Amino acid sequence: SKPLEPVELNARVRNMMNLRARTLELQRLATTDSLTGANVRRHFFAQADTEFSRARRYNTPLSVMMLDVDFFKKVNDTYGHAAGDKVLVDVAAHCRHVIRDVDFLGRLGGEEFAICLPQTDAESARTVAERLRLAVEQSVVQDGDAEIRVTVSIGVAEAVADDPAVTAALNRADEALYKAKESGRNRVLVSD
């Protein structure tokens, strides 16, 4: 076969670059929540499983958080879904601001988020959760003339030796989240 002409070679390279860009965009769309920029549920669990395995292998701590926007339905009912979306974007932004680069955020559905904190014990995770809770509590979301304030409840759990999977720790964090809601909301509770 004869060598490609420079114009033909440039066209092929351009096509390959476009294909690569489209592939990366499809991957981003498949793994990222389009509203909040958090990981989608499936991708979050895949990453959390990987971190759980790493924590087991190297005998390092791993903690998880489950958080929920308090009275979120009331926000939607009072201000509308567009305002509710702004609140979710704001909460996700606070999460990303408070956590480290190695930590990661997932939107599990509606107003419920999860955070995985590799190499973090429960007490350190509680400190992070409290900073996050305070940041959200002090935040104001502007929607036209309305100033919307929300709070979050957060459950924290550390993976333990007999956890068969990261979901066990996430379930304990979820139980702590619901206890936080039942005991008045706008609080952090660590699983026993």
Side-chain angles (χ1 to χ4, degrees):
S1 73
K2 70 178 194 173
L4 296 173
E5 294 293 320
V7 171
E8 189 179 354
L9 182 60
N10 283 341
R12 284 192 181 184
V13 169
R14 225 179 2 265
N15 284 342
M16 287 173 41
M17 290 172 54
N18 286 338
L19 179 61
R20 177 71 177 143
R22 286 190 301 239
T23 301
L24 289 172
E25 178 62 10
L26 285 174
Q27 185 178 25
R28 186 191 66 75
L29 290 170
T31 59
T32 307
D33 177 58
S34 61
L35 177 65
T36 64
N39 291 298
V40 295
R41 181 184 187 91
R42 186 183 72 253
H43 189 59
F44 174 83
F45 278 99
Q47 285 184 289
D49 283 338
T50 299
E51 288 303 329
F52 180 78
S53 295
R54 183 176 289 127
R56 282 282 185 269
R57 187 176 321 119
Y58 297 110
N59 196 28
T60 57
L62 172 83
S63 291
V64 292
M65 290 183 216
M66 295 288 288
L67 62 130
D68 196 76
V69 179
D70 297 327
F71 302 112
F72 185 70
K73 184 181 180 328
K74 186 176 178 183
V75 171
N76 278 337
D77 291 348
T78 304
Y79 303 102
H81 290 278
D85 286 352
K86 286 182 180 180
V87 166
L88 294 176
V89 168
D90 185 66
V91 169
H94 285 297
C95 290
R96 279 191 297 279
H97 181 73
V98 167
I99 64 177
R100 305 167 298 178
D101 289 342
V102 297
D103 305 329
F104 52 93
L105 170 69
R107 183 176 177 200
L108 301 190
E111 72 277 11
E112 188 173 52
F113 294 89
I115 298 173
C116 184
L117 302 112
Q119 299 181 355
T120 306
D121 62 21
E123 197 49 45
S124 297
R126 176 201 300 267
T127 301
V128 173
E130 189 56 38
R131 276 200 319 263
L132 174 56
R133 186 198 65 75
L134 260 168
V136 172
E137 180 184 48
Q138 294 169 354
S139 179
V140 177
V141 175
Q142 238 8 92
D143 184 54
D145 292 338
E147 291 186 346
I148 305 168
R149 293 178 179 273
V150 297
T151 59
V152 291
S153 297
I154 305 174
V156 176
E158 183 177 345
V160 295
D162 60 348
D163 283 344
V166 73
T167 51
L170 284 162
N171 288 339
R172 286 194 306 279
D174 199 42
E175 289 170 12
L177 164 65
Y178 280 96
K179 286 180 184 172
K181 285 187 159 301
E182 288 171 358
S183 62
R185 292 182 166 80
N186 190 25
R187 63 192 65 222
V188 173
L189 282 183
V190 178
S191 174
D192 298 333

